[in-house]
Amino acid sequence: MRAPPPRPRCRYQPTRACVVSLAHLDGADHSLDHWAAALALSRRSLQRLARRDTGQSWTTWMRDLRLARAIAPLMAGKSVQHAAHAAGYATASGFVAAFQAAHGITPGQLQRRIES
């Protein structure tokens, strides 16, 4: 008696590393729909994947990735406006609000801590 043939694996088995690398491509901030299409997944499947692999919702995870892009310019002493632009924010005030909500301090306070 022969064993049944193995089930083919899904052509796209995205991993956290795959999704993270896509999210950091050229600093572009694309929508959930864009990334789902790029990975040949449904929106909901990508949301579940993000939750499973990061422990965060898609929205929170993307916000954290965007904010992470601002850390290097801030540590290099660049302006908050420059860091906001690097993180993909249209305004410095929106960036400051998101940064403070996520980290409990403003970008300026972070810079002062780094300097001292």
Side-chain angles (χ1 to χ4, degrees), residues 40-83:
L41 295 168
S42 70
R43 287 175 50 93
R44 187 66 188 126
S45 291
L46 186 52
Q47 287 172 322
R48 285 188 197 108
L49 177 69
R51 172 80 61 189
R52 183 193 75 201
D53 288 351
T54 69
Q56 297 176 306
S57 70
W58 174 266
T59 304
T60 301
W61 183 44
M62 286 292 107
R63 182 206 62 199
D64 288 352
L65 286 173
R66 290 177 72 194
L67 290 174
R69 290 199 306 256
I71 298 296
L74 290 171
M75 292 182 72
K78 302 285 186 188
S79 70
V80 171
Q81 180 69 38
H82 180 91

